[in-house]
Amino acid sequence: MDVFRTSTLPILCLLPLALGVLAGCDSSDSGMNADQPLRQVSYDLSAQSNDGALSDGVSATATFRELGPNQTLVTLELDGGATNTDVSHPAHIHNNSASEGGNIAIYLSPIDGTGGGGTSARVVDRSFDQLADFDGYINIHQSAANLGNVVAQGNIGANADGQTSEGFNVVDNPQSTTYSLSASSNDGSVAPDGIPGQVTFNEVTNGMTIVTWKLDVDGDEQYEDDATGASVSHPAHIHNNSASEGGNIAIYLSPVDGTDPAARSSKLVDRSYDNLTSFDGYVNVHQSAAKLGNVVAQGDIGANASGGDDGGGGGGGGGGGGY
């Protein structure tokens, strides 16, 4: 199994000449001030009555966590944890306020209804200030097949008063490791030939890692350019042992929305980067929460994946430019 280890945050150094004074920057500068904490803001999402399986809706919290100058991690957390349903719950940031309504502006990661604590995460390529000022609202839906049933909703950005707090204390020189996922033939109706992909472990803090996985739907080795086109979300998990041995679910990852053109998802995992990159495990990607037996992609990770070298750090503490 191929594994690639790279620096997450490239070093940027600007040397502007202004008023006859040459101004430089330290080689560890990543565009953020390492002496200042990163920011975050949270918004309440209210339970919405609907005609679906979760008729009373589910309240939730959305949090925007600054990662660097041009990236923000958007996490969702259902107040009651996983919904114990055999579906995944898609979520999006929409334009305008909730009372006005609007089209989808940004895909977020679905929440797995079968487990995983009722949380998801999405790395959004917009600055914290852009999202904190965005004219929008968030919808969480019953399922990809039942988007009309909104289970949680709330205004964000310019339309809401969020609760601000101190964000990530990002490590200096965070590291990144990527593992290949092979297409897995199965008896399902969505992707019987399987879909190749990759999973990346991005170090954030001393005890937290962002796990991002993607599918290469058209097989051109170019990611984030095609949705699977399925009316379901595709769950993924880290399992114990190697893929050839098989094992139980150890860590729930966030599903990929079948309608998401980027075909990617992330999860903020409460384990260190070193723990995950040495973990005795493998990743399975499934057709849907209701069809977990149909595995569409699979690959060994951590202690079971050969090849590659540890990458060096890529920037000073305080975030940078490459999750």
Side-chain angles (χ1 to χ4, degrees), residues 223-295:
Y223 288 89
E224 303 194 33
D225 62 356
D226 205 1
T228 67
S231 59
V232 294
S233 296
H234 311 291
H237 317 100
I238 296 176
H239 292 252
N240 291 305
N241 307 320
S242 67
S244 60
E245 294 173 295
N248 294 327
I249 295 172
I251 301 171
Y252 280 78
L253 303 180
S254 301
V256 156
D257 187 333
T259 67
D260 181 359
R264 68 176 169 91
S265 185
S266 295
K267 183 86 166 187
L268 185 61
V269 177
D270 287 327
R271 297 199 185 204
S272 71
Y273 173 82
D274 289 340
N275 177 280
L276 286 181
T277 54
S278 61
F279 188 77
D280 176 13
Y282 66 98
V283 169
N284 269 353
V285 178
H286 306 266
Q287 174 181 320
S288 67
K291 300 287 186 179
L292 292 178
N294 294 327
V295 176

Side-chain angles (χ1 to χ4, degrees), residues 129-251:
D129 288 329
Q130 284 179 309
L131 284 186
D133 293 334
F134 189 78
D135 176 13
Y137 66 98
I138 288 176
N139 273 350
I140 300 177
H141 306 265
Q142 176 185 323
S143 66
N146 292 287
L147 291 178
N149 293 328
V150 176
V151 300
Q153 183 181 81
N155 286 318
I156 54 93
N159 301 320
D161 293 324
Q163 295 82 47
T164 59
S165 58
E166 186 174 313
F168 287 128
N169 182 16
V170 177
V171 298
D172 289 337
N173 303 321
Q175 301 176 83
S176 173
T177 301
T178 297
Y179 305 94
S180 297
L181 303 177
S182 299
S184 178
S185 299
N186 60 86
D187 296 326
S189 59
V190 171
D193 295 328
I195 305 173
Q198 64 181 29
V199 59
T200 300
F201 297 161
N202 287 297
E203 186 179 26
V204 184
T205 71
N206 287 326
M208 303 183 81
T209 305
I210 297 175
V211 178
T212 296
W213 66 276
K214 308 174 183 180
L215 293 174
D216 181 13
V217 178
D218 54 12
D220 63 355
E221 299 184 358
Q222 300 295 318
Y223 288 89
E224 303 194 33
D225 62 356
D226 205 1
T228 67
S231 59
V232 294
S233 296
H234 311 291
H237 317 100
I238 296 176
H239 292 252
N240 291 305
N241 307 320
S242 67
S244 60
E245 294 173 295
N248 294 327
I249 295 172
I251 301 171

Side-chain angles (χ1 to χ4, degrees), residues 65-76:
R65 303 168 186 259
E66 186 176 25
L67 285 178
N70 300 302
Q71 287 188 316
T72 304
L73 185 71
V74 179
T75 59
L76 299 174

